[in-house]
Amino acid sequence: MGAEELKEPNGLLALFYFHLIFIVKVASLFGLLLMPFYWALTPILYGGNSMIPAAGPQTTFDGRQDGRMMGSVERNEANEKLIQYLEKNYDGETYLVAMFRATEAAQIMLKTDKAVMAMGGFSGNDPALTAKKLENLVKNGEVKYFLLSGFGGGQSNNDIVEWIQTHCKEIPQSEWKQSSDTQQSFGRDGAEKLYKYEG
């Protein structure tokens, strides 16, 4: 009888430890799944950049994914006065205008239904074009207007910028740019210039 009384507490203790270990395992599994779940949920909770999708705690800083890296990918809508100027002076070229960033070129394409050249690819820094190739395109009558902004081009496209600035004429901003109090420009710090190749 005494032996049975000793076994019963030991059995209860073993059962307690079994439940305790089970609870610890469940809590550990929950902890492992909680952070990835939160990580994946951050774009929904804090918003994000649809152009460069990402997730993680960094999105909580300003509601965007690493805006410093992209220099603010979200851009203002295309300058209406610029579009009017380009369409008025369009003479059947393959491209209405050339610029470095595809994200900016897309806005003008959507507004005009005309092709716009993205000389620097998506980010504006891709060496997708050489100065020689650009010269051939210009001389073939495929493009004559170039919009250069304070962002885009990068070190990899310096030769293209230099070619445009050397061989093309800058158009006065009063002819194509809206006043800053009505609409901001594409370029960072408003530093954008429109050039025209006149042969």
Side-chain angles (χ1 to χ4, degrees):
M1 189 71 172
E4 291 179 358
E5 290 178 352
L6 289 174
K7 288 181 181 179
E8 186 174 352
N10 288 338
L12 291 175
L13 187 61
L15 184 63
F16 170 77
Y17 280 126
F18 173 80
H19 284 296
L20 180 62
I21 292 173
F22 176 77
I23 292 172
V24 170
K25 287 182 177 180
V26 171
S28 299
L29 180 62
F30 179 77
L32 288 174
L33 296 177
L34 180 61
M35 285 309 297
F37 176 75
Y38 169 73
W39 193 284
L41 198 62
T42 50
I44 298 174
L45 296 176
Y46 304 105
N49 181 356
S50 60
M51 302 302 297
I52 304 181
Q58 70 272 15
T59 59
T60 65
F61 295 149
D62 59 3
R64 298 173 300 171
Q65 294 95 340
D66 202 3
R68 293 171 297 176
M69 179 184 70
M70 287 305 299
S72 181
V73 172
E74 293 89 359
R75 315 300 291 175
N76 297 299
E77 289 191 1
N79 186 322
E80 293 292 345
K81 190 173 180 180
L82 168 65
I83 290 176
Q84 292 173 9
Y85 176 87
L86 293 173
E87 290 189 313
K88 179 181 178 181
N89 294 277
Y90 178 71
D91 195 27
E93 294 83 14
T94 305
Y95 302 98
L96 180 66
V97 65
M99 51 184 40
F100 278 107
R101 291 167 58 92
T103 50
E104 296 171 359
Q107 295 180 18
I108 296 181
M109 291 174 65
L110 292 172
K111 292 254 185 180
T112 63
D113 200 29
K114 290 183 174 66
V116 176
M117 182 189 299
M119 299 181 291
F122 177 81
S123 66
N125 297 316
D126 298 333
L129 193 64
T130 65
K132 183 62 179 177
K133 289 180 180 179
L134 179 62
E135 183 178 2
N136 291 335
L137 290 171
V138 169
K139 291 184 176 179
N140 289 336
E142 296 187 49
V143 61
K144 66 180 180 183
Y145 284 103
F146 302 91
L147 185 66
L148 304 183
S149 69
F151 187 89
Q155 295 295 324
S156 59
N157 288 312
N158 277 343
D159 56 336
I160 295 178
V161 174
E162 291 176 3
W163 188 93
I164 293 171
Q165 292 175 338
T166 302
H167 296 86
C168 301
K169 175 185 176 182
E170 183 180 348
I171 306 300
Q173 292 189 354
S174 59
E175 295 186 24
W176 60 271
K177 190 172 183 179
Q178 294 180 193
S179 58
S180 58
D181 59 346
T182 58
Q183 188 163 1
Q184 298 178 4
S185 62
F186 281 119
R188 183 176 57 186
D189 301 328
E192 65 178 359
K193 297 180 180 180
L194 182 66
Y195 292 86
K196 179 184 178 181
Y197 179 78
E198 296 183 337

